[in-house]
Amino acid sequence: MPAPSGFTYAVRGEDVVITHRGAVATTLRGRRAAEFLTQVQSQDPQLLMARVTGNYRRGNERAARRHPRNSG
């Protein structure tokens, strides 16, 4: 599975806005925003943003849908 890429984040007041390839993926507020800002300094930012937005396991869904075992 390729490493996540294309994520950016911006702090707007107390909110954190995460975008993926230019489109807003999610907005974190309150406690979740504070936790994110703490974790982003010590972890891989791309991986963390992929996990936070729910975009962590992507890439094989289409291939799995076409697999013979899943038809029917």
Side-chain angles (χ1 to χ4, degrees), residues 1-71:
M1 181 167 65
S5 64
F7 289 98
T8 58
Y9 73 95
V11 178
R12 296 185 183 159
E14 295 181 7
D15 300 342
V16 176
V17 178
I18 299 176
T19 59
H20 185 245
R21 297 187 178 140
V24 175
T26 191
T27 302
L28 303 175
R29 294 183 173 92
R31 181 181 56 81
R32 290 188 68 201
E35 289 174 359
F36 172 82
L37 291 173
T38 302
Q39 292 174 351
V40 78
Q41 296 174 3
S42 63
Q43 296 180 19
D44 176 21
Q46 292 294 310
L47 184 59
L48 178 61
M49 287 184 274
R51 286 182 176 160
V52 169
T53 61
N55 235 353
Y56 182 60
R57 297 186 332 169
R58 295 288 188 258
N60 68 344
E61 288 89 353
R62 290 183 189 152
R65 189 178 309 141
R66 291 188 302 256
H67 193 275
R69 132 184 107 225
N70 295 328
S71 65

